[in-house]
Amino acid sequence: MPRQYDEDEARRPILQPDTDTDEPTAAAVSSSLARLGRPSDDDELTERLTGCGASACCNPSSFLHRFQALILMCLVGFGSYFCYDNPGALQDTFKSDLNLTTTQFVMLYSIYSWPNVILCFIGGFLMDRVFGIRLGTIIYMFILLIGQLIFAMGATINLFWLMIVGRFMFGIGAESLAVAQNSYAVLWFKGKELNMVFGLQLSFARVGSTVNFLVMVPIYKYVKSLGYQGHMCTGVVLLLATLTCVMSMICALILGWMDRRAARILKRNDSAPGGEVAKLSDVRTFKVSFWMVTVICVAYYVAIFPFIALGKVFFMRKFDFSSEDANTVNSIVYIIAAVASPLFGLLVDRTGRNVLWVFLSVLVTIFAHGMLAFSYMNPYIAMITMGLAYSMLASSLWPLVALIVPEYQLGTAYGICQSVQNLGLAVISMISGMIVDKGGYFMLEIFFIGWLI
């Protein structure tokens, strides 16, 4: 039934204040209208991003901007991977110019890994708890750069112990930097093509290794043609290689600025839900599935990296390749990874089933090592096969950690993975050198197949 109004009520203006009711006063209405005219906190992004800042290139919420950040994430690791395999690309000249045995040569790789058995885990924890991802990346990149400079100076003056010190420092920075790269990838891309992102990161990293194998011998010959001889020539070449680390340092600084800007504009909360912080005791809470991923990581990688480190002489002896041809076939794994890793990442993103892809990659790698050990088939076939398998594993294994471990513990988790991996690489690299010195490369291949099985 319609409401009945008395005469005075019917004549009252709608917005007239009424002290006897809960209707808003004129002042309250004016205040409300003023608030409607101002941009709210939700509109702050639109208010701040004007001009170039509102374009796809500069808007942190756009895919194009995130892709630019991804390129910088990849380039941050370029110098690390380029310089890591400098000794492998110049294996024969290292031995002759610096008078190194195979065991001493392999020590340049094992000393890289030994400190990271512990320090890599600590580096990941410090990034979670103390430094933060931006400052941590810059600190680890600086340590890496100083280590490479010391390594090059040690070769220049022919002091093996100084070279060992340099590789020790280089390893501390490089492996902790890899933890930072993984954390950056999850921060920017979790839930958005994460497998593809890990694949693309691996791709760029392996581009660094591939370029190293392809250019170091020509650079060495050019420097030698300028009149440098022996250990002096090797030292100058390593100093030139250090320029890639300088480039990566610049990329780390730019990426840190971009991430700080994105966090401010998007009001990103990088802290854990409920204010949780990473603690060393968190290790006890990690699931069994995480530790299984870690075991797979070390068992697989010890059959790849030590082989590539010693592979140049293997191809020269068994297949009678020249130094340049041996370097080319030895770098095939990295060349294939540079192309195939992002493609496999997209495939895993679409299909899921990361564990199945990991299992298939291990089987294919066993087959590739078998071809190298038991046949004289063209080694390019085996190395291409190994490169595809390696790309498949890296694109599907590393994202599993982000699916198992809470985000605020990712630095610690990736640090543990890198630490266990480096323990395996340090031990297996030394054993591999002794196997080559005493039993030859056939026994080395059998050793690697055993690890994969």
Side-chain angles (χ1 to χ4, degrees):
M1 180 176 179
R3 178 184 169 190
Q4 299 296 322
Y5 296 90
D6 58 36
E7 184 177 352
D8 291 338
E9 186 179 5
R11 291 176 181 175
R12 183 184 302 153
I14 295 176
L15 295 180
Q16 178 178 318
D18 186 355
T19 56
D20 297 332
T21 69
D22 294 333
E23 294 180 10
T25 65
V29 171
S30 299
S31 177
S32 298
L33 291 174
R35 282 198 301 269
L36 289 173
R38 293 197 311 264
S40 67
D41 291 341
D42 294 336
D43 296 329
E44 190 171 349
L45 179 62
T46 304
E47 180 190 21
R48 288 189 178 185
L49 296 183
T50 59
C52 179
S55 66
C57 291
C58 301
N59 188 336
S61 62
S62 71
F63 173 78
L64 183 57
H65 187 79
R66 289 189 292 113
F67 183 76
Q68 291 171 342
L70 174 58
I71 296 300
L72 289 172
M73 291 176 206
C74 296
L75 290 175
V76 163
F78 182 91
S80 169
Y81 282 91
F82 183 93
C83 294
Y84 171 78
D85 271 321
N86 283 167
L90 299 172
Q91 181 179 353
D92 50 344
T93 56
F94 258 69
K95 287 183 172 182
S96 59
D97 290 351
L98 303 171
N99 298 316
L100 303 180
T101 65
T102 302
T103 302
Q104 287 178 309
F105 175 81
V106 171
M107 192 180 297
L108 296 174
Y109 281 95
S110 62
I111 199 64
Y112 169 98
S113 300
W114 274 117
N116 290 298
V117 173
I118 303 244
L119 294 179
C120 197
F121 161 62
I122 295 176
F125 172 76
L126 288 175
M127 192 173 63
D128 279 340
R129 185 70 181 266
V130 181
F131 299 143
I133 188 171
R134 293 185 286 270
L135 180 60
T137 301
I138 294 170
I139 290 174
Y140 299 144
M141 187 68 237
F142 180 75
I143 294 173
L144 180 153
L145 176 59
I146 297 301
Q148 176 66 14
L149 282 172
I150 294 174
F151 178 60
M153 291 305 300
T156 303
I157 60 180
N158 198 18
L159 286 179
F160 182 70
W161 69 265
L162 188 59
M163 295 176 67
I164 291 295
V165 171
R167 286 291 279 189
F168 183 91
M169 287 190 64
F170 180 84
I172 292 173
E175 291 301 303
S176 296
L177 183 67
V179 174
Q181 281 184 281
N182 292 337
S183 298
Y184 257 132
V186 174
L187 182 64
W188 281 68
F189 291 94
K190 188 173 184 180
K192 308 181 186 76
E193 316 96 14
L194 186 59
N195 291 285
M196 184 274 291
V197 167
F198 272 94
L200 192 60
Q201 275 195 335
L202 173 68
S203 172
F204 265 71
R206 295 315 169 195
V207 166
S209 296
T210 302
V211 173
N212 161 73
F213 276 104
L214 295 178
V215 306
M216 287 302 284
V217 171
I219 291 175
Y220 179 87
K221 290 181 177 179
Y222 174 74
V223 171
K224 192 172 185 178
S225 71
L226 297 178
Y228 294 96
Q229 300 293 328
H231 60 83
M232 182 66 71
C233 182
T234 301
V236 171
V237 171
L238 292 176
L239 283 173
L240 291 175
T242 306
L243 294 176
T244 61
C245 296
V246 175
M247 179 272 295
S248 291
M249 182 61 154
I250 295 172
C251 291
L253 292 170
I254 297 173
L255 180 61
W257 172 79
M258 287 181 63
D259 187 69
R260 183 177 181 181
R261 175 177 177 269
R264 172 176 54 83
I265 293 176
L266 298 177
K267 294 190 173 298
R268 189 177 68 204
N269 183 13
D270 294 336
S271 60
E276 294 179 280
V277 294
K279 303 183 291 292
L280 289 175
S281 58
D282 290 342
V283 175
R284 295 178 298 178
T285 67
F286 287 168
K287 299 178 182 178
V288 174
S289 53
F290 166 77
W291 296 108
M292 292 178 65
V293 168
T294 303
V295 171
I296 293 171
C297 173
V298 65
Y300 186 86
Y301 277 83
V302 298
I304 300 294
F305 293 140
F307 172 74
I308 293 176
L310 297 169
K312 179 179 179 179
V313 175
F314 168 71
F315 292 116
M316 292 172 68
R317 290 181 181 177
K318 181 169 182 176
F319 298 97
D320 199 25
F321 281 7
S322 66
S323 177
E324 291 84 353
D325 290 340
N327 260 346
T328 301
V329 70
N330 201 32
S331 65
I332 284 291
V333 170
Y334 295 154
I335 295 174
I336 295 298
V339 177
S341 295
L343 299 179
F344 276 118
L346 284 172
L347 181 62
V348 177
D349 276 326
R350 294 296 180 87
T351 63
R353 304 184 183 279
N354 292 55
V355 176
L356 176 62
W357 290 109
V358 170
F359 179 72
L360 289 175
S361 65
V362 173
L363 291 180
V364 174
T365 306
I366 293 173
F367 177 70
H369 272 295
M371 283 194 289
L372 292 172
F374 301 108
S375 76
Y376 281 86
M377 187 182 300
N378 190 321
Y380 279 92
I381 298 174
M383 295 301 285
I384 289 172
T385 304
M386 190 182 299
L388 291 171
Y390 171 67
S391 304
M392 189 189 308
L393 180 125
S395 300
S396 53
L397 181 68
W398 288 104
L400 281 174
V401 177
L403 301 177
I404 297 170
V405 177
E407 193 166 331
Y408 75 96
Q409 296 174 332
L410 278 178
T412 305
Y414 279 120
I416 291 174
C417 286
Q418 298 285 139
S419 294
V420 177
Q421 176 184 323
N422 278 286
L423 174 61
L425 289 174
V427 174
I428 299 305
S429 293
M430 296 179 66
I431 295 175
S432 297
M434 291 186 287
I435 290 174
V436 170
D437 282 338
K438 297 181 179 179
Y441 281 94
F442 176 77
M443 294 305 299
L444 182 65
E445 282 288 6
I446 299 299
F447 178 68
F448 289 147
I449 292 173
W451 271 100
L452 291 168
I453 294 176

